[in-house]
Amino acid sequence: MNHLNIGIVAHVDAGKTSLTERLLFDAGVITRIGSVDAGSTQTDSLELERRRGITIQSAVVAFRIGDLRVNVIDTPGHSDFVAEVERALRVLDGAVLVVSAVEGVQARTRVLIRSLARLRIPVLVFVNKIDRRGARYAEVLDAIAAELGPNCVAMGSVDDLGTPGARWLPFTGSDEGFTARLAETFADHGDAFVDSYLDDRVILTEADYRRELARHVEHAWAYPVFFGSAITGEGVEHLVRGIAELLPRVGPEAAEQPLRGVVLKIERGRAGEKIAYVRTRSGTLRPRAEVTLHRRDHGGAVIELTGRTSAVQVFDEGTRLRDADAIAGTIAKVRGLAEVRVGDQLGSADGLPTRGLFAPPTLESRVMPESPRQRPALYAALQRIAEQDPMIDVRADEETGAISVRLYGEVQKEVIGATLADTFGLRVAFALSRPLYFEKPVGVGEAVREIAGDGVNFFWATVGLRIEPAAPGAGIVFRLGVRLGGLPLAFHRAIEESVHGTLRQGVHGWEVLDCAVTLTRTGYASPLSAAGDFRNVTPLVLGDALKQAGTRVFEPIHRFELEAPAASVGAVVALLTGARAVPEEQVPRGDRCLLRGTIPAAEVHGVTRRLPESTSGEGVLVSEFDGHRPFTGHPLPTRPHTGANPYDNAHYLLHTLGRVRGT
């Protein structure tokens, strides 16, 4: 049997979950279409998803189209859950991008389009809600083409657009205008088909056009566009045909290759055991099989672990599971891998990502339990939540016990709070979210400490380090400027780990990024030296070098789109200017206006909260992370103490040793 894994992605409220329900209904998997508003859909299984009517976690459902088994991954549309979307995108064979015929291409849609294009994922576009008042055809097609490129191909037209009786009219091979547009699209990637098209002696059938279109879709050279309505079912039948014929499938021959898979999601069973959702790309995953897990550490190096599966279940129809080997192309629930994490690759490290598609969270908030005695339980519960979403990056202050998490937005904070209450029985309060700034070195700094050579260094370790700026987005680059064999490997590892730990707090308390740290000098005294000596002296050396280099604080910036009544543009611009935003473009849209520009992440929540009073409740703001820029406000933000600083700890230990030794 052939397999196909597709993702349904969209801006929030475009109708992707409704489309998933329609696909399952038309395939005979369910007898009744669930309602997002009523919380009765197949994929929104969490109680909070049903209450809010939004998708929070990716969900998998299955159905068949003839001999093709299709797994559908329904992904969140809200920007607060972008990390969940990224994990889904990495396991897809193809995607259905849902666009609203009423709202058109929205800000979140553009972010998804760029990500799909970057990964070269085959895409079918489904323009939903053709039965809604205000639905548009040509304008939406133009907007899609502006984002995906000129090779967007409308697969039909719409009659009675914007009415309950709207109908999808598919083009056929006898439509000369349609076949001419297809031939023009095919001309950019090979001459053979175009030569046949221009040769009057050759008669091309509709099947010929479909095969060539499928080849272009597989390589992300062309993007077929379907119109319809997930609610009425209009046009969905033709979308299903497009899924079966145009998206690339995984055949049984891939099962004969070595095992390769990726972990899409982690959940916990009734007994607290880990259950991993694994997408198998090749080979076969069986119960009681020993497998290797591959992931990257904070420095980017590949770590390899070994585990043994205890049970494997594949998706059958809908959300039903059956015990079976997970052959290439399937998504399986796998038990027994105690050390597994989201993003791990099974069997091979080939293609293991070096960085994410989307930026990490830009906000941080303290989480406070009702009672200080609940802090250990709260920390353990947040660690369990972080298994499903590693991006929240739970941190605890060893001295004060304060616990913090990283976030994409306020909705995510609400979800974490509800999960803690519903699943773990913990009621918590969140401090006001604050943006995550970071520091970059502005110059070059260098320092060294010798083994007890100056009466100041009481550690049996010599370490010299140089820190300097690195390219934007580089993170922390650790380099060796000394011979690798001159120091035991454990000591080298201790230095590198200590470098990464120390740079979590820079001169102003923020994490230091985009820097290169070079180990310039080492020395040890056998058998007195230990790894702990290098862990303790490295923060002292790096701290001295960092102060010499100096740092500058950078703040996260969002790119925004704000739609408001034209009459309120003056008030909106004043609101944005007061929030240090930079409006760059105003686009009139009848009696409304669209403003685009950039705004500090720290100001997004405040503008969103004050926008209704400036626009009589009609303004809508959507923003996405757009990088960092040097902080220009006043005063310079200094991070409050949120964790033990290795630099301070090393100085404290050095001072203690000095008192003990009488210096």
Side-chain angles (χ1 to χ4, degrees), residues 289-300:
E290 186 175 284
V291 297
T292 55
L293 307 174
H294 302 85
R295 69 175 70 117
R296 294 190 185 277
D297 62 15
H298 292 297

Side-chain angles (χ1 to χ4, degrees), residues 624-658:
E624 296 285 345
F625 176 77
D626 194 49
H628 292 83
R629 73 182 181 194
F631 182 83
T632 56
H634 182 78
L636 188 69
T638 301
R639 186 178 191 176
H641 187 61
T642 58
N645 190 324
Y647 179 71
D648 295 335
N649 289 348
H651 268 292
Y652 174 77
L653 182 58
L654 189 63
H655 175 67
T656 302
L657 286 171

